[in-house]
Amino acid sequence: MKKGIYRFLFFAILFICVIGFLLKPDYYSVNLSERLLPPSFEHPFGTDYLGRELISRVCLGGLISFSISFIAVLISLTVGFFVAFFASVKGGIVDKLLVSLIDVFQSFPGMLLAIVFAAFFKGGIVGVVVALSVSGWVGFARLSRGLIISKLKEDYFIYSIASGERVLKAVIKHILPNIKSPLLVQLLLSFAGAIIVEASLSFLGIGIKPPLPSWGNIIADGKEFILVAPYISIIPGIFLTVSVLCIKNFLKID
Amino acid sequence: MIDYIVKRVLFSIPTVFAVVITVFFLIHIAPGNPVDILVGENASAVLKTKVEKEYALDKPIIVQAVFFLKNVFFKGGGNSIYFGKPCFSVIKSKFKNTLFLGGVAFFMAIFISFSLSFIAVRFKGRFPDRLITFLATIGMSVPSFWLGILLLIVFSVKLKIFPVSGTGGFYHVFLPALTLSLPMGSYLLHIFRNELLAQTNKRFTVALKTRGVKEFLIFFKHIVKNALIPVVMVLFLQLGFLLTGAIITETIFSWDGIGLLLITAINVRDYPLVQSLAIFIAVVYIYSNLLGDILIGYLDRRVGFEKRDL
């Protein structure tokens, strides 16, 4: 493997999504005379069962997947970090309560939690973000609680508290820089996981609602036509798999 | 050891309660009136009041919670709106299908990962090893619903070996089980391969070699045995993955298990059934993890039961 191939591939996919969408921004208009056309020069990824341009749907779907998952991961990180902050700094009964809250959320499999929340929030962009954040914050909370506790006894932290800094500011200013690399790894893994969960929710019909495209619902559309047009579900799947692979191995240089 | 098991089981009871309460609050967190969520906004006023009575939604929230707990623990989860039967009896009738699918997938994952990692270790650093590791790396990232569709295209549409969907015997279970087992198998393969290689470099292997023990005997009798411990650990912690993976796999292949039931319940807005399924899956998940922990403790005697934290 060449150096940084995963980063390169990830940015390549992002680039393709942006360029592809800018070239053919019309993901919406139905053209029934051009249904289910296989990939050709005129229609680079072919057309779907309503004659919509597949390339613009796949590219926009990618941008939607990336941004929704990223927003959800950022929310999870913030919520998880603050829960961990209160648990570790307050200690005692607050810590016990928050830890058992984390335990309860961890006793649901993440995907189940996401599916049930998405179902109760009736899907849509907001529903997906809520579902992903609800299933995602636990990992960050558990990880950062352990990390913050391990740094609370460090000299530099005690000095900064003794010199009158507020606890939250001291944690963000002095502890956060010291624990950022495990958090970054967790951020990337959650990002990859969130993309998969988002796609699964959309595939099951409780995520991004059509006509807005998402890799998940394009694949679900394609499933009805695997006999005549297997490319409809194959192409977004390749994008999905490669981007998940690249995000997971983003930090791997060798 | 008995102490440890009893303690673990006792400590799991509050967790189960908390899970049930969390699921109860779901319907109140969700936007909209609970009654509207349960029967839909356009339902008749008569139906609305009937449902309101049936689920005690007109009472204060504490009473509702107690009512919900009673429903879950004594009345089989309350009546499903769609099936008209107690939810847990519906779930019970479907669960054996999921169990069958999960079991086959479990053994398939073991078979795939073990045989391929033996090959990978045998040809360490050469082409077969690199190919297998590469495929396993991809296998861990492939979303299972897409993998299922790919397998459908290859095996059912092009080669016409296996049926496209349905519930039944070996021919029906093969594709869904393969879909379910490939991601798990790739993960296991990575761990097993690395563990086998780590054991090969240990000093006891060299000592056995100098005594003239045959190569394959060293491998299968000593190295594999030592490498198994972390693999079994991961295997049991992955049981939950089989459950959630089943939700998607069953939907693709119309396999009549609890995963398909969950999606059906969501689509027909049968929320009491969704809640019961969430509770059921979470409880199965909690206890399969517990079983895994106990089994690991039994296998790995280096860690005493007394010193393990709960």
Side-chain angles (χ1 to χ4, degrees), chain B residues 24-77:
Chain B
F24 162 73
F25 275 115
L26 252 180
I27 208 161
H28 291 277
I29 299 169
N33 188 348
V35 184
D36 290 346
I37 295 174
L38 280 174
V39 288
E41 281 150 34
N42 305 322
S44 66
V46 182
L47 187 63
K48 278 189 181 174
T49 34
K50 188 181 160 249
V51 169
E52 206 166 50
K53 279 259 157 54
E54 200 180 329
Y55 295 96
L57 290 172
D58 47 354
K59 305 258 165 42
I61 201 158
I62 302 288
V63 182
Q64 284 183 40
V66 172
F67 182 82
F68 187 80
L69 283 175
K70 216 163 72 186
N71 235 351
V72 168
F73 288 106
F74 300 110
K75 291 187 189 159

Short mmCIF file of all heavy atoms in Angstrom, two decimals, chain B residues 24-77:
data_model
loop_
_atom_site.label_atom_id
_atom_site.label_comp_id
_atom_site.label_asym_id
_atom_site.label_seq_id
_atom_site.Cartn_x
_atom_site.Cartn_y
_atom_site.Cartn_z
N PHE B 24 -39.96 2.92 27.82
CA PHE B 24 -41.23 3.57 28.16
C PHE B 24 -41.18 5.06 27.83
O PHE B 24 -42.12 5.62 27.27
CB PHE B 24 -41.54 3.36 29.64
CG PHE B 24 -42.57 4.32 30.18
CD1 PHE B 24 -43.90 4.18 29.84
CD2 PHE B 24 -42.19 5.37 31.00
CE1 PHE B 24 -44.84 5.07 30.31
CE2 PHE B 24 -43.12 6.26 31.47
CZ PHE B 24 -44.45 6.11 31.13
N PHE B 25 -40.04 5.70 28.14
CA PHE B 25 -39.96 7.14 27.92
C PHE B 25 -39.88 7.51 26.45
O PHE B 25 -40.16 8.65 26.09
CB PHE B 25 -38.76 7.73 28.68
CG PHE B 25 -39.10 8.06 30.09
CD1 PHE B 25 -38.51 7.40 31.15
CD2 PHE B 25 -40.06 9.04 30.36
CE1 PHE B 25 -38.86 7.69 32.45
CE2 PHE B 25 -40.40 9.35 31.66
CZ PHE B 25 -39.81 8.67 32.71
N LEU B 26 -39.49 6.52 25.62
CA LEU B 26 -39.38 6.79 24.18
C LEU B 26 -40.60 7.49 23.63
O LEU B 26 -40.52 8.49 22.93
CB LEU B 26 -39.24 5.46 23.45
CG LEU B 26 -37.89 5.13 22.86
CD1 LEU B 26 -37.96 3.78 22.20
CD2 LEU B 26 -37.50 6.19 21.88
N ILE B 27 -41.78 6.95 23.96
CA ILE B 27 -43.01 7.44 23.36
C ILE B 27 -43.32 8.85 23.86
O ILE B 27 -44.04 9.61 23.21
CB ILE B 27 -44.16 6.45 23.64
CG1 ILE B 27 -45.19 6.55 22.53
CG2 ILE B 27 -44.79 6.67 24.98
CD1 ILE B 27 -46.07 5.35 22.47
N HIS B 28 -42.74 9.24 25.02
CA HIS B 28 -42.97 10.59 25.52
C HIS B 28 -41.93 11.57 24.99
O HIS B 28 -42.19 12.77 24.93
CB HIS B 28 -42.95 10.59 27.05
CG HIS B 28 -44.13 9.88 27.61
ND1 HIS B 28 -45.35 10.48 27.77
CD2 HIS B 28 -44.29 8.59 28.00
CE1 HIS B 28 -46.21 9.60 28.25
NE2 HIS B 28 -45.59 8.45 28.39
N ILE B 29 -40.72 11.04 24.66
CA ILE B 29 -39.69 11.93 24.10
C ILE B 29 -40.04 12.29 22.68
O ILE B 29 -39.83 13.41 22.24
CB ILE B 29 -38.32 11.24 24.15
CG1 ILE B 29 -37.92 10.92 25.59
CG2 ILE B 29 -37.26 12.12 23.54
CD1 ILE B 29 -36.72 10.02 25.69
N ALA B 30 -40.60 11.33 21.94
CA ALA B 30 -40.89 11.55 20.52
C ALA B 30 -41.85 12.72 20.36
O ALA B 30 -42.72 12.94 21.20
CB ALA B 30 -41.47 10.30 19.91
N PRO B 31 -41.69 13.49 19.27
CA PRO B 31 -42.57 14.64 19.07
C PRO B 31 -44.00 14.18 18.84
O PRO B 31 -44.26 13.16 18.23
CB PRO B 31 -41.99 15.31 17.82
CG PRO B 31 -41.20 14.26 17.14
CD PRO B 31 -40.70 13.35 18.21
N GLY B 32 -44.96 14.97 19.34
CA GLY B 32 -46.37 14.65 19.14
C GLY B 32 -46.98 14.00 20.36
O GLY B 32 -46.29 13.56 21.28
N ASN B 33 -48.30 13.94 20.35
CA ASN B 33 -49.06 13.35 21.43
C ASN B 33 -48.92 11.82 21.40
O ASN B 33 -49.02 11.22 20.34
CB ASN B 33 -50.53 13.75 21.17
CG ASN B 33 -51.42 13.38 22.31
OD1 ASN B 33 -51.01 12.62 23.18
ND2 ASN B 33 -52.63 13.89 22.29
N PRO B 34 -48.67 11.17 22.56
CA PRO B 34 -48.51 9.71 22.56
C PRO B 34 -49.66 8.96 21.89
O PRO B 34 -49.44 7.99 21.18
CB PRO B 34 -48.45 9.38 24.05
CG PRO B 34 -47.98 10.61 24.70
CD PRO B 34 -48.42 11.76 23.86
N VAL B 35 -50.89 9.44 22.11
CA VAL B 35 -52.03 8.74 21.51
C VAL B 35 -51.95 8.83 19.98
O VAL B 35 -52.19 7.84 19.27
CB VAL B 35 -53.36 9.35 22.00
CG1 VAL B 35 -54.52 8.55 21.46
CG2 VAL B 35 -53.39 9.38 23.51
N ASP B 36 -51.59 10.03 19.48
CA ASP B 36 -51.46 10.19 18.04
C ASP B 36 -50.38 9.27 17.48
O ASP B 36 -50.50 8.71 16.41
CB ASP B 36 -51.10 11.65 17.69
CG ASP B 36 -52.28 12.57 17.94
OD1 ASP B 36 -53.39 12.03 18.12
OD2 ASP B 36 -52.08 13.79 17.98
N ILE B 37 -49.28 9.12 18.26
CA ILE B 37 -48.21 8.24 17.80
C ILE B 37 -48.73 6.81 17.72
O ILE B 37 -48.46 6.09 16.77
CB ILE B 37 -47.00 8.32 18.75
CG1 ILE B 37 -46.41 9.73 18.70
CG2 ILE B 37 -45.94 7.31 18.38
CD1 ILE B 37 -45.33 9.97 19.70
N LEU B 38 -49.51 6.41 18.73
CA LEU B 38 -49.94 5.02 18.79
C LEU B 38 -50.94 4.67 17.68
O LEU B 38 -50.81 3.62 17.04
CB LEU B 38 -50.58 4.72 20.15
CG LEU B 38 -49.60 4.47 21.29
CD1 LEU B 38 -50.33 4.32 22.59
CD2 LEU B 38 -48.78 3.23 21.02
N VAL B 39 -51.94 5.51 17.44
CA VAL B 39 -52.97 5.11 16.47
C VAL B 39 -53.00 6.00 15.23
O VAL B 39 -53.79 5.77 14.33
CB VAL B 39 -54.38 5.11 17.12
CG1 VAL B 39 -54.50 3.95 18.06
CG2 VAL B 39 -54.66 6.42 17.81
N GLY B 40 -52.13 7.01 15.16
CA GLY B 40 -52.15 7.91 14.01
C GLY B 40 -53.07 9.08 14.27
O GLY B 40 -54.05 8.98 15.01
N GLU B 41 -52.71 10.23 13.63
CA GLU B 41 -53.44 11.46 13.93
C GLU B 41 -54.89 11.43 13.43
O GLU B 41 -55.76 12.08 13.98
CB GLU B 41 -52.72 12.66 13.31
CG GLU B 41 -51.51 13.10 14.12
CD GLU B 41 -50.44 13.73 13.26
OE1 GLU B 41 -50.79 14.39 12.28
OE2 GLU B 41 -49.25 13.52 13.57
N ASN B 42 -55.13 10.66 12.38
CA ASN B 42 -56.45 10.73 11.76
C ASN B 42 -57.43 9.69 12.30
O ASN B 42 -58.52 9.54 11.76
CB ASN B 42 -56.32 10.54 10.25
CG ASN B 42 -55.36 11.55 9.67
OD1 ASN B 42 -55.33 12.69 10.09
ND2 ASN B 42 -54.55 11.12 8.71
N ALA B 43 -57.03 8.99 13.37
CA ALA B 43 -57.92 7.96 13.91
C ALA B 43 -59.16 8.62 14.54
O ALA B 43 -59.15 9.79 14.89
CB ALA B 43 -57.19 7.14 14.95
N SER B 44 -60.22 7.83 14.66
CA SER B 44 -61.47 8.38 15.21
C SER B 44 -61.32 8.62 16.71
O SER B 44 -60.47 8.02 17.37
CB SER B 44 -62.60 7.39 14.96
OG SER B 44 -62.36 6.22 15.71
N ALA B 45 -62.15 9.53 17.22
CA ALA B 45 -62.06 9.89 18.64
C ALA B 45 -62.34 8.68 19.53
O ALA B 45 -61.75 8.53 20.59
CB ALA B 45 -63.04 11.02 18.94
N VAL B 46 -63.23 7.79 19.05
CA VAL B 46 -63.58 6.60 19.83
C VAL B 46 -62.35 5.72 20.03
O VAL B 46 -62.03 5.30 21.14
CB VAL B 46 -64.70 5.81 19.12
CG1 VAL B 46 -65.09 4.61 19.96
CG2 VAL B 46 -65.89 6.69 18.82
N LEU B 47 -61.65 5.50 18.91
CA LEU B 47 -60.46 4.66 18.96
C LEU B 47 -59.41 5.30 19.86
O LEU B 47 -58.76 4.62 20.66
CB LEU B 47 -59.90 4.47 17.54
CG LEU B 47 -58.74 3.49 17.41
CD1 LEU B 47 -59.18 2.09 17.80
CD2 LEU B 47 -58.20 3.49 16.00
N LYS B 48 -59.30 6.64 19.74
CA LYS B 48 -58.30 7.34 20.55
C LYS B 48 -58.57 7.16 22.04
O LYS B 48 -57.66 6.85 22.80
CB LYS B 48 -58.29 8.84 20.20
CG LYS B 48 -57.47 9.13 18.96
CD LYS B 48 -57.29 10.62 18.76
CE LYS B 48 -56.50 10.88 17.49
NZ LYS B 48 -56.42 12.31 17.17
N THR B 49 -59.84 7.34 22.45
CA THR B 49 -60.14 7.19 23.88
C THR B 49 -59.94 5.74 24.31
O THR B 49 -59.48 5.48 25.42
CB THR B 49 -61.59 7.61 24.21
OG1 THR B 49 -62.42 7.28 23.10
CG2 THR B 49 -61.69 9.08 24.52
N LYS B 50 -60.25 4.81 23.41
CA LYS B 50 -60.09 3.39 23.74
C LYS B 50 -58.60 3.09 24.01
O LYS B 50 -58.26 2.46 25.02
CB LYS B 50 -60.61 2.53 22.59
CG LYS B 50 -60.65 1.05 22.94
CD LYS B 50 -61.16 0.21 21.78
CE LYS B 50 -60.74 -1.23 21.94
NZ LYS B 50 -59.74 -1.62 20.96
N VAL B 51 -57.76 3.57 23.11
CA VAL B 51 -56.32 3.34 23.28
C VAL B 51 -55.81 4.06 24.52
O VAL B 51 -54.99 3.53 25.28
CB VAL B 51 -55.56 3.79 22.02
CG1 VAL B 51 -54.07 3.82 22.26
CG2 VAL B 51 -55.88 2.85 20.88
N GLU B 52 -56.33 5.29 24.72
CA GLU B 52 -55.91 6.07 25.88
C GLU B 52 -56.20 5.29 27.16
O GLU B 52 -55.38 5.22 28.07
CB GLU B 52 -56.68 7.39 25.90
CG GLU B 52 -55.96 8.51 26.61
CD GLU B 52 -56.60 9.84 26.30
OE1 GLU B 52 -57.83 9.94 26.42
OE2 GLU B 52 -55.88 10.77 25.92
N LYS B 53 -57.39 4.64 27.22
CA LYS B 53 -57.75 3.81 28.37
C LYS B 53 -56.83 2.60 28.45
O LYS B 53 -56.30 2.27 29.51
CB LYS B 53 -59.20 3.31 28.23
CG LYS B 53 -60.23 4.34 28.65
CD LYS B 53 -60.76 4.04 30.05
CE LYS B 53 -61.33 5.28 30.69
NZ LYS B 53 -62.35 5.95 29.84
N GLU B 54 -56.62 1.94 27.30
CA GLU B 54 -55.92 0.67 27.30
C GLU B 54 -54.47 0.83 27.77
O GLU B 54 -53.93 -0.03 28.45
CB GLU B 54 -55.94 0.07 25.88
CG GLU B 54 -55.68 -1.43 25.87
CD GLU B 54 -55.69 -1.99 24.46
OE1 GLU B 54 -56.43 -1.45 23.62
OE2 GLU B 54 -54.96 -2.96 24.24
N TYR B 55 -53.82 1.94 27.38
CA TYR B 55 -52.44 2.14 27.80
C TYR B 55 -52.33 3.14 28.93
O TYR B 55 -51.24 3.65 29.21
CB TYR B 55 -51.60 2.57 26.60
CG TYR B 55 -51.53 1.48 25.56
CD1 TYR B 55 -52.39 1.48 24.48
CD2 TYR B 55 -50.63 0.44 25.70
CE1 TYR B 55 -52.35 0.47 23.54
CE2 TYR B 55 -50.58 -0.58 24.77
CZ TYR B 55 -51.45 -0.57 23.70
OH TYR B 55 -51.41 -1.57 22.79
N ALA B 56 -53.47 3.51 29.56
CA ALA B 56 -53.50 4.41 30.72
C ALA B 56 -52.85 5.74 30.41
O ALA B 56 -52.19 6.33 31.26
CB ALA B 56 -52.84 3.75 31.93
N LEU B 57 -53.01 6.24 29.19
CA LEU B 57 -52.32 7.46 28.79
C LEU B 57 -52.96 8.72 29.36
O LEU B 57 -52.41 9.80 29.23
CB LEU B 57 -52.24 7.56 27.26
CG LEU B 57 -51.30 6.54 26.63
CD1 LEU B 57 -51.43 6.56 25.13
CD2 LEU B 57 -49.87 6.82 27.03
N ASP B 58 -54.16 8.57 29.97
CA ASP B 58 -54.79 9.75 30.54
C ASP B 58 -54.37 9.98 31.99
O ASP B 58 -54.75 10.96 32.61
CB ASP B 58 -56.32 9.64 30.44
CG ASP B 58 -56.81 8.27 30.89
OD1 ASP B 58 -55.95 7.41 31.17
OD2 ASP B 58 -58.03 8.06 30.97
N LYS B 59 -53.56 9.07 32.53
CA LYS B 59 -53.14 9.16 33.93
C LYS B 59 -51.81 9.90 34.03
O LYS B 59 -51.13 10.10 33.03
CB LYS B 59 -52.99 7.74 34.50
CG LYS B 59 -54.24 6.90 34.35
CD LYS B 59 -55.00 6.83 35.64
CE LYS B 59 -56.42 6.33 35.48
NZ LYS B 59 -56.62 5.20 34.58
N PRO B 60 -51.41 10.32 35.25
CA PRO B 60 -50.08 10.95 35.41
C PRO B 60 -48.96 9.98 35.01
O PRO B 60 -49.16 8.76 34.98
CB PRO B 60 -50.02 11.28 36.89
CG PRO B 60 -51.23 10.75 37.51
CD PRO B 60 -52.19 10.38 36.47
N ILE B 61 -47.78 10.55 34.75
CA ILE B 61 -46.72 9.77 34.10
C ILE B 61 -46.21 8.63 34.97
O ILE B 61 -45.84 7.55 34.46
CB ILE B 61 -45.58 10.72 33.67
CG1 ILE B 61 -44.76 10.06 32.56
CG2 ILE B 61 -44.70 11.12 34.81
CD1 ILE B 61 -44.01 11.04 31.73
N ILE B 62 -46.24 8.83 36.32
CA ILE B 62 -45.78 7.77 37.21
C ILE B 62 -46.71 6.55 37.08
O ILE B 62 -46.25 5.41 36.97
CB ILE B 62 -45.76 8.25 38.68
CG1 ILE B 62 -44.86 9.48 38.84
CG2 ILE B 62 -45.31 7.14 39.62
CD1 ILE B 62 -43.40 9.20 38.74
N VAL B 63 -48.02 6.83 37.08
CA VAL B 63 -49.00 5.74 36.95
C VAL B 63 -48.78 5.02 35.62
O VAL B 63 -48.83 3.80 35.54
CB VAL B 63 -50.43 6.31 37.03
CG1 VAL B 63 -51.44 5.18 36.94
CG2 VAL B 63 -50.61 7.09 38.30
N GLN B 64 -48.54 5.82 34.58
CA GLN B 64 -48.30 5.22 33.27
C GLN B 64 -47.08 4.30 33.30
O GLN B 64 -47.10 3.21 32.74
CB GLN B 64 -48.04 6.31 32.24
CG GLN B 64 -49.27 7.04 31.80
CD GLN B 64 -48.93 8.05 30.73
OE1 GLN B 64 -48.12 7.78 29.85
NE2 GLN B 64 -49.53 9.22 30.82
N ALA B 65 -46.02 4.77 33.98
CA ALA B 65 -44.80 3.96 34.05
C ALA B 65 -45.07 2.64 34.75
O ALA B 65 -44.66 1.57 34.29
CB ALA B 65 -43.70 4.75 34.76
N VAL B 66 -45.79 2.72 35.90
CA VAL B 66 -46.11 1.50 36.64
C VAL B 66 -46.95 0.58 35.76
O VAL B 66 -46.72 -0.63 35.69
CB VAL B 66 -46.88 1.85 37.94
CG1 VAL B 66 -47.37 0.58 38.61
CG2 VAL B 66 -45.97 2.63 38.87
N PHE B 67 -47.93 1.19 35.06
CA PHE B 67 -48.78 0.41 34.17
C PHE B 67 -47.96 -0.28 33.09
O PHE B 67 -48.15 -1.47 32.79
CB PHE B 67 -49.81 1.36 33.53
CG PHE B 67 -50.77 0.68 32.64
CD1 PHE B 67 -51.90 0.04 33.16
CD2 PHE B 67 -50.57 0.65 31.27
CE1 PHE B 67 -52.78 -0.60 32.33
CE2 PHE B 67 -51.46 0.01 30.43
CZ PHE B 67 -52.57 -0.62 30.96
N PHE B 68 -46.99 0.47 32.53
CA PHE B 68 -46.14 -0.09 31.48
C PHE B 68 -45.31 -1.25 32.00
O PHE B 68 -45.22 -2.31 31.36
CB PHE B 68 -45.23 1.01 30.93
CG PHE B 68 -44.43 0.61 29.73
CD1 PHE B 68 -45.02 0.60 28.47
CD2 PHE B 68 -43.10 0.23 29.85
CE1 PHE B 68 -44.29 0.23 27.36
CE2 PHE B 68 -42.37 -0.14 28.73
CZ PHE B 68 -42.98 -0.14 27.49
N LEU B 69 -44.72 -1.06 33.21
CA LEU B 69 -43.92 -2.12 33.80
C LEU B 69 -44.77 -3.37 34.02
O LEU B 69 -44.36 -4.49 33.71
CB LEU B 69 -43.35 -1.67 35.14
CG LEU B 69 -42.15 -0.72 35.09
CD1 LEU B 69 -41.77 -0.27 36.48
CD2 LEU B 69 -40.97 -1.44 34.45
N LYS B 70 -46.01 -3.17 34.54
CA LYS B 70 -46.89 -4.29 34.79
C LYS B 70 -47.21 -5.01 33.48
O LYS B 70 -47.21 -6.24 33.41
CB LYS B 70 -48.20 -3.78 35.45
CG LYS B 70 -48.74 -4.74 36.48
CD LYS B 70 -49.74 -4.06 37.40
CE LYS B 70 -51.04 -3.77 36.71
NZ LYS B 70 -51.97 -2.98 37.55
N ASN B 71 -47.46 -4.18 32.46
CA ASN B 71 -47.75 -4.74 31.14
C ASN B 71 -46.61 -5.63 30.65
O ASN B 71 -46.82 -6.74 30.17
CB ASN B 71 -47.92 -3.58 30.15
CG ASN B 71 -49.25 -3.67 29.45
OD1 ASN B 71 -49.94 -4.67 29.57
ND2 ASN B 71 -49.59 -2.64 28.72
N VAL B 72 -45.39 -5.10 30.80
CA VAL B 72 -44.23 -5.83 30.26
C VAL B 72 -43.99 -7.11 31.03
O VAL B 72 -43.75 -8.17 30.45
CB VAL B 72 -42.98 -4.93 30.29
CG1 VAL B 72 -41.73 -5.75 30.02
CG2 VAL B 72 -43.11 -3.82 29.27
N PHE B 73 -44.07 -7.01 32.39
CA PHE B 73 -43.65 -8.17 33.15
C PHE B 73 -44.76 -9.21 33.38
O PHE B 73 -44.47 -10.37 33.57
CB PHE B 73 -43.06 -7.73 34.49
CG PHE B 73 -41.71 -7.10 34.34
CD1 PHE B 73 -41.55 -5.73 34.47
CD2 PHE B 73 -40.61 -7.87 34.01
CE1 PHE B 73 -40.31 -5.15 34.31
CE2 PHE B 73 -39.37 -7.31 33.84
CZ PHE B 73 -39.22 -5.93 33.99
N PHE B 74 -46.03 -8.76 33.35
CA PHE B 74 -47.09 -9.73 33.67
C PHE B 74 -48.05 -10.00 32.53
O PHE B 74 -48.71 -11.02 32.51
CB PHE B 74 -47.87 -9.28 34.91
CG PHE B 74 -47.00 -9.15 36.11
CD1 PHE B 74 -46.70 -7.91 36.65
CD2 PHE B 74 -46.45 -10.29 36.70
CE1 PHE B 74 -45.87 -7.80 37.74
CE2 PHE B 74 -45.62 -10.17 37.80
CZ PHE B 74 -45.34 -8.93 38.33
N LYS B 75 -48.18 -9.04 31.59
CA LYS B 75 -49.18 -9.25 30.56
C LYS B 75 -48.58 -9.47 29.18
O LYS B 75 -49.22 -9.22 28.17
CB LYS B 75 -50.12 -8.03 30.51
CG LYS B 75 -51.00 -7.92 31.73
CD LYS B 75 -51.98 -6.80 31.52
CE LYS B 75 -52.75 -6.50 32.80
NZ LYS B 75 -53.30 -5.14 32.73
N GLY B 76 -47.32 -9.91 29.13
CA GLY B 76 -46.71 -10.21 27.84
C GLY B 76 -46.57 -9.00 26.95
O GLY B 76 -46.72 -9.10 25.74
N GLY B 77 -46.30 -7.83 27.51
CA GLY B 77 -46.03 -6.65 26.70
C GLY B 77 -47.25 -5.94 26.18
O GLY B 77 -47.14 -5.03 25.38
#
